[in-house]
DNA sequence: GATGAATGAGGATTCATTCAT
DNA sequence: TATGAATGAATCCTCATTCAT
């Protein structure tokens, strides 16, 4: 009992330091990109000496990897709540809300995520982990599409999922570029509209008897007269 | 008269050197990103000594800027042929073919363009030029949308143009990631489908009397014979 | 009376700590040399924190110095027992046994001694202390030689002592490199043979009437007919 | 013909630089030992920038290796002239002169050799090369001893060679420590005396009928007038 | 113009040493 | 006292840039 408080406090301090360093790294990576970021710059941003940084991370790559892993983990949690069975029961617009909103929110809250994932000059293991997450997300999107449009061939489903995801990422950049507030909200809404229009025909074709999917008049671009 | 040939030859030689260096730079930037690329690596790739490189460019940023400007210029030419009055007279699928294809082609032929424009760690002036081109393109897209959907408010038009462009960029990445050949073609077709589905409702709403615009899947320009 | 035990215990504990640290330092110096040894490595080897190390030593050099001094002290004790009046009365082979054996034993038991004394990159004061010991030993050897060969000039005596000592050091390295056991013993015996052959002529020349000094037939290579 | 002078001059300059850097390294290694020597210190000693140093050597170890190899090569040449058949025909004192003198001279001229070979914290490849040379030398000494004392068993021959060589190394240190001039010469002479006295009995024992080998003090090549 | 050696400031990393707990 | 986190100067090494040839 007399020996616990110290180690605990130490561990707590260590955790705080790590968090502090990772946050600093996130900021600097965001501002300058991975390659152009120096460990000294990270240490400075964290108000810490270079030596301290190296007490917690063996090298620059390790920082990026740890940061990447934490972000990926959070990201997985975020999308884990998105693709629930409950949400799959919703009509397409509802599903899009349920899926798009948390992903957008996560990326708004963690701009370093994209900064780290975009760079082509990023250490191997991050790229791998990123690809893994990418693949997971893609699989989820494919499953969703398969659920809404069971008649689609595997190849079509895969291609559609890929394009939807690509468009989402493009829209995400737009959202992040927009200033927080009504403009960003409008951009998010527009992104959902785009996805809805892209995906609706698939749903309608394979399940023509679901008028509930039409959310706004004219929202789904394609109808037979 | 006796002194002209030399300067001309010199200028010609200089142009060749510059082209050679820029091509080398494009390759290395593509492979390693701007920051991670060393001027020595560019010189090596160009089979030229570092000193020669600095005879033509004052520093590393200048290389990127010149390369960026040339690419932007070519890109402008490419899209200049896209947004012609003639093309504006086409129904939407035709217009999409006319606009999307050259842009895709340009980016396939010049992967350095995206490599240079993507990097968050790229020198300021490139970013500026890029933003300029971006704005130009966006304006063109807005004009097109204004032409096809004259009833749209300026704000809606702008937002729609932005989203369409963003989705295009997302799709472009996908296209570039796909291996050349039928898979890439299919991806391009899918991108057009997405844009078509996204934009069709606008056209139909404001110009209900244009049955030609009716969007059937596969209506866009790329189809298998 | 109530305050004495504590200081004593403290001093005792301190002594133990110091011994523990010096032993650790000896190990690490042996394994990696003085310069390449980090204070953290010593602390780790001693199962102690770096802070604790600095509670007992002001800096890295001080550790080496203290270790050196202790080793030198022990070494002095070892050779103090070697050069006794009693031993000086022995014939040369007996004297060599009496002198060489304890020195060899000491160095076998304390490999850090040579590790510390050999390094050319060792802090100045160790070198000084080492030189002091060196001088002491040399003086003793000179005295011995003076005792056995009183006719020798001072210069000759000094030169002979230096060479005998140098050869001994060379042989010592060889002994330490040999695996413990019969091979090492044979090497020690050979070293004694060398010293005997080197020194015998001096003895015989100045004290021609001491046939006892010839240990083995032919052992002293030089004799006048 | 017009293209040769430049490359040649360049190569020549490169060779000079390398020699200059190696000489500087030799000096600093001598003064501070391998581990304590910084590449910047070598560059400074060579009146050159750190970058220049790294144009010719990939790292510190490479400098030590190259220096070691050059010294070992020279050393091999030096002793190659020592162990000739001609010299083997000489009586022992003559042979000792022929063998000891060039080795001593080499080490006086190249003190870095011992500095590099002594350090226990020296890069692996030097140690290996050094061991190789060591083994070569030892083999030669064994051969010589075998020649002069053919009756000796292999084990005795090997042990004797090892001890003679060890004593030589000890004496070498003494020689190097002595100031150049008569004192050093006297030390060298004394070293030869030691070796002569150590080895003579073997010769006499196995070749008792060779009065030419008779060893009088001062028989070796160096004598005061 | 072309070359490539030279430069030196800057980046990643280590380690002797200090200090709050 | 003991701890181990914190410090920052010093190391090794790179690379944008300059300069003698």
């Amino acid at each position: 009992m007399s020996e616990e408080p110290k180690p605990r406090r130490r561990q707590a301090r260590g955790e705080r330091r790590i968090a502090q360093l990772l946050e600093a790294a996130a900021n600097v990576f965001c501002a300058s990109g991975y390659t152009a970021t120096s460990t000294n710059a990270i240490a400075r941003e964290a108000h810490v000496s270079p030596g301290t940084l190296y007490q917690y991370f063996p090298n620059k790559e390790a920082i990026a990897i740890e940061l990447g892993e934490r972000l990926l983990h959070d990201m997985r949690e975020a999308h884990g709540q998105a693709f629930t069975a409950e949400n799959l029961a919703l009509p397409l617009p509802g599903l899009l809300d349920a899926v798009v909103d948390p992903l957008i929110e996560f990326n708004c809250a963690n701009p370093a995520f994209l900064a780290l994932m975009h760079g082509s000059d990023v250490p191997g293991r991050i790229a791998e982990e990123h690809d893994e997450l990418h693949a997971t997300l893609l699989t989820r999107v494919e499953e969703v599409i398969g659920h809404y449009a069971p008649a689609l061939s595997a190849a079509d489903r895969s291609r559609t999922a890929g394009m939807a995801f690509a468009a989402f990422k493009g829209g995400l950049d737009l959202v992040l570029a927009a200033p927080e507030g009504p403009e960003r909200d409008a951009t998010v809404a527009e992104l959902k509209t785009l996805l809805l229009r892209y995906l609706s025909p698939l749903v309608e074709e394979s399940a023509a008897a679901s008028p509930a999917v039409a959310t706004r008049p004219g929202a789904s671009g394609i109808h037979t007269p």
Side-chain angles (χ1 to χ4, degrees), chain A residues 68-157:
Chain A
E69 271 175 8
R70 293 197 177 198
L71 288 169
L72 285 164
H73 176 261
D74 295 354
M75 176 70 164
R76 277 192 195 98
E77 287 212 331
H79 87 246
Q81 298 173 334
F83 295 96
T84 59
E86 199 178 346
N87 287 337
L88 280 180
L90 293 172
L92 193 50
L95 176 81
L96 284 177
D97 284 341
V99 165
V100 168
D101 287 340
L103 290 181
I104 295 266
E105 248 163 68
F106 174 83
N107 280 285
C108 288
N110 301 284
F113 182 76
L114 281 182
L116 217 45
M117 301 309 160
H118 263 21
S120 67
D121 49 3
V122 121
R125 265 194 40 209
I126 295 183
E128 282 170 35
E129 298 252 359
H130 176 239
D131 286 355
E132 230 178 87
L133 173 67
H134 194 273
T136 308
L137 281 171
L138 220 47
T139 305
R140 298 291 179 108
V141 176
E142 282 189 40
E143 285 167 6
V144 171
I145 290 178
H147 177 81
Y148 280 80
L152 227 54
S153 77
D156 282 354
R157 201 197 314 139

Side-chain angles (χ1 to χ4, degrees), chain A residues 22 62 91 102 141 143 158 162 178 191 210 212:
Chain A
L22 289 177
V141 176
E143 285 167 6
S158 171
L191 172 55
S210 312

Side-chain angles (χ1 to χ4, degrees), chain A residues 6-22 48 52-53 55-57 66 70:
Chain A
K6 269 192 175 175
R8 252 185 211 168
R9 233 185 265 157
R10 282 210 172 121
Q11 242 176 288
R13 182 145 57 125
E15 286 306 317
R16 243 180 294 134
R17 268 285 121 93
I18 288 177
Q20 176 188 9
L21 283 163
L22 289 177
V48 140
T52 297
L53 184 155
Q55 192 126 38
Y56 294 98
F57 298 99
E66 179 63 26
R70 293 197 177 198

Side-chain angles (χ1 to χ4, degrees), chain A residues 93 189-190 192-193 196-197 213-220:
Chain A
E190 193 65 26
K192 288 181 193 168
T193 301
L196 189 61
R197 287 187 189 157
V213 177
T215 44
R216 282 175 281 160
S220 78

